[in-house]
Amino acid sequence: MHLRLSLVSTRPPPAALLRQAVAQLAPVLPVLTDLGERFAAQGHELALVGGPVRDAFLGRPASDLDLATSARPDDTERILADWGSATWDMGRAFGTIGARRGEHVVEVTTYRADEYDGVTRKPVVAFGDSLEDDLVRRDFACNAMAVRLPEIAFVDPHGGLADLEAAVLRTPTAPEVSFGDDPLRMMRAARFVAQLGFVPDPAVLAAMGELAGTIERVSAERVRDELSKLLTAAHPRAGLELLVASGIAQLVLPELPALRLEVDEHHRHKDVYDHSMIVLEQAMDLEGPSDGPPESVPGPDLVLRLAALLHDIGKPATRRFESGGGVSFHHHEVVGAKLVAKRLKALRFDKDTTRKVARLVELHLRFHGYGDGQWTDSAVRRYVVDAGDLLPRLHRLTRADCTTRNVKKARRLAAAYDDLEVRIERLQAEEEFKALRPELDGNEIAQVLGISPGPVLGRAYKHLLQVRTDDGPVGKD
């Protein structure tokens, strides 16, 4: 099956790109042409749009099949019901109907001609009749390409393919108009920088700086989702630096730009912002393969990456210049854990993610007492028990937190942590930390002390658990 170029393309795709796109779309072309023929038989247009088309030219597999149509939702639903084994209409209000057939899932959206109220950023849905009008309202030119079905005609009215070749992000319309309509597109720009390695067009950069304040019109949930996609991308640092440079981070994650502590003339402390970015990248390098076992921390791991990025956010609030010329950040891990919990809650992260990230931040300095003197077995047990199921992530966060340029110091820290992990493995082989319990259970404690269940029994249980952690097995007697 061959891709035929539409007359609305700004220029023909190079042969190599065309072959790549056809190869990527080949597995789904029978499904797409079948759907195109079904819609055409009912007098409607259908086109593959956005991300799947972009990814085909980038040589990336199409995981989602997003289509646009001139059909209204009721007509779309009727056609898809005849085609698939299941349909759903959760996006009906925005013209989207979903369907499944075997392993293939499609979402078909009626052409849009949205207008925004300019206050809440929520679109006033207006259905359109033209593919070209639908494409012009999309976020970036590289996402404003389409393939008409069933004839397989490539449509690129805004030069998206040229942008793909140049790795540039441009908007189909003036960026201030596009971002003014939907401020979340500015965060999408940062996400695509992180995911695809693209560079924003100068006009896009300027508009992001001018309109940064409008991001406050966007719900915390949608900001959270874009931030999560950015952090789990291949190059999150580039996207984060764009958010900081544009001023958007100051509004959605202000603790990040706050790490750019001014460097004093004596250079008595390292750049905490740059350090945090390096820790993020080093933590990513320590993630396991995506299909690896849980203890390998399969990447991309959002919890580990959030903790790596935010582990030092307590430093600005705790920085003190000492009389001897040094600088200290006493208890910044405790302050940082509280700040992390507050920020992630404001961004509507789920409780489990918030708890895990805050706990990692709280524990990230614990290891640094290890090299000062040999820990007892009880101290190692406490380290493992306190980390709980976060231990594999804590291992990686602690190792990533070493950014010293002093080679000898770096080797010494790595060797010390190697030793700690060996001791943990030895103790875990001897004891089952996950099932760590006091020597006496609740009934036995009550019998020995002659008390009933209540607060005193709870305190006694916790006391014996601490004894068990500190001293290891001591026996019931």
Side-chain angles (χ1 to χ4, degrees):
M1 190 171 292
H2 300 286
L3 205 62
R4 178 172 63 81
L5 300 181
S6 167
L7 293 177
V8 294
S9 291
T10 53
R11 62 189 179 90
L17 273 181
L18 185 57
R19 285 194 297 271
Q20 182 168 265
V22 171
Q24 291 299 325
L25 291 175
V28 296
L29 279 180
V31 173
L32 296 176
T33 53
D34 178 30
L35 277 170
E37 288 167 356
R38 290 171 182 264
F39 275 78
Q42 300 296 318
H44 306 297
E45 295 180 3
L46 186 70
L48 183 70
V49 293
V53 181
R54 176 201 68 214
D55 288 345
F57 281 105
L58 289 174
R60 297 167 52 169
S63 55
D64 300 317
L65 296 179
D66 296 326
L67 300 116
T69 181
S70 58
R72 294 322 190 232
D74 288 346
D75 297 324
T76 297
E77 186 173 37
R78 185 173 61 255
I79 295 171
L80 291 179
D82 289 338
W83 171 81
S85 57
T87 62
W88 54 92
D89 66 349
M90 291 180 62
R92 180 182 291 273
F94 295 95
T96 302
I97 305 295
R100 177 188 298 276
R101 180 175 179 175
E103 63 182 271
H104 300 294
V105 175
V106 300
E107 287 194 347
V108 183
T109 303
T110 302
Y111 292 156
R112 295 271 288 277
D114 291 345
E115 296 178 358
Y116 294 81
D117 61 17
V119 177
T120 66
R121 90 133 222 102
K122 292 183 179 179
V124 179
V125 177
F127 295 140
D129 299 302
S130 162
L131 174 61
E132 285 72 19
D133 288 346
D134 180 87
L135 294 177
V136 77
R137 56 163 289 276
R138 295 182 178 267
D139 51 8
F140 298 102
C142 62
N143 293 330
M145 301 184 293
V147 175
R148 288 188 182 274
L149 303 168
E151 62 269 34
I152 318 297
F154 176 57
V155 182
D156 179 23
H158 303 289
L161 189 59
D163 287 358
L164 285 187
E165 291 182 274
V168 171
L169 279 180
R170 287 184 311 109
T171 51
T173 58
E176 58 271 19
V177 173
S178 181
F179 297 158
D181 284 344
D182 184 354
L184 189 67
R185 289 171 177 168
M186 295 185 291
M187 289 204 65
R188 286 200 198 111
R191 191 236 297 181
F192 288 131
V193 166
Q195 284 182 335
L196 306 175
F198 282 19
V199 176
D201 179 80
V204 167
L205 279 174
M208 288 178 69
E210 293 171 6
L211 298 175
T214 62
I215 197 67
E216 294 183 310
R217 287 161 34 191
V218 181
S219 71
E221 290 82 0
R222 301 197 72 196
V223 170
R224 172 204 65 207
D225 290 347
E226 284 298 327
L227 183 61
S228 297
K229 292 174 183 177
L230 186 160
L231 281 171
T232 52
H235 312 286
R237 178 171 183 168
L240 291 167
E241 289 179 339
L242 175 56
L243 291 180
V244 171
S246 64
I248 295 172
Q250 183 63 43
L251 299 167
V252 301
L253 193 63
E255 294 81 5
L256 181 58
L259 293 175
R260 295 185 297 181
L261 302 172
E262 67 275 10
V263 179
D264 60 277
E265 66 274 16
H266 302 295
H267 298 279
R268 290 179 290 187
H269 61 83
K270 67 179 71 176
D271 182 342
V272 184
Y273 172 80
D274 188 58
H275 164 75
S276 298
M277 291 294 189
I278 294 173
V279 172
L280 169 60
E281 293 177 321
Q282 294 186 165
M284 290 168 55
D285 290 339
L286 296 174
E287 291 174 336
S290 59
D291 58 351
E295 59 270 20
S296 73
V297 188
D301 188 88
L302 179 61
V303 168
L304 176 61
R305 295 188 182 195
L306 278 168
L309 178 67
L310 303 176
H311 75 284
D312 274 346
I313 65 170
K315 280 191 171 180
T318 58
R319 183 175 59 159
R320 298 289 183 272
F321 291 106
E322 306 295 345
S323 57
V327 63
S328 66
F329 303 96
H330 293 310
H331 306 300
H332 77 268
E333 74 279 12
V334 177
V335 173
K338 293 177 180 178
L339 290 173
V340 162
K342 183 178 180 181
R343 176 55 52 196
L344 297 191
K345 182 179 179 181
L347 286 170
R348 304 292 192 271
F349 276 91
D350 63 274
K351 291 182 180 179
D352 188 54
T353 298
T354 300
R355 175 190 65 81
K356 288 177 177 177
V357 177
R359 186 61 169 158
L360 284 170
V361 171
E362 184 180 3
L363 293 174
H364 83 273
L365 281 185
R366 183 76 65 87
F367 160 74
H368 291 284
Y370 187 79
D372 297 336
Q374 190 74 324
W375 279 6
T376 62
D377 282 354
S378 64
V380 176
R381 288 191 197 94
R382 192 177 300 113
Y383 186 80
V384 174
V385 170
D386 288 349
D389 62 351
L390 294 174
L391 185 62
R393 290 186 176 101
L394 183 58
H395 285 333
R396 285 154 179 79
L397 175 60
T398 302
R399 289 184 180 277
D401 195 24
C402 176
T403 61
T404 179
R405 296 179 182 176
N406 185 318
V407 176
K408 289 184 178 180
K409 182 179 179 181
R411 287 176 178 170
R412 186 170 66 250
L413 287 171
Y417 207 85
D418 288 343
D419 181 69
L420 175 59
E421 288 202 58
V422 168
R423 291 185 65 192
I424 288 173
E425 290 178 6
R426 176 178 60 79
L427 287 172
Q428 284 178 324
E430 297 172 358
E431 310 172 34
E432 181 53 66
F433 283 126
K434 292 181 180 178
L436 199 62
R437 299 288 186 273
E439 302 287 357
L440 305 179
D441 63 25
N443 291 331
E444 291 169 322
I445 294 172
Q447 183 178 0
V448 169
L449 297 181
I451 60 176
S452 301
V456 175
L457 179 58
R459 287 168 56 198
Y461 184 92
K462 290 180 180 178
H463 171 74
L464 288 186
L465 179 59
Q466 191 63 55
V467 171
R468 174 69 178 79
T469 301
D470 291 344
D471 301 334
V474 297
K476 289 192 175 186
D477 291 344

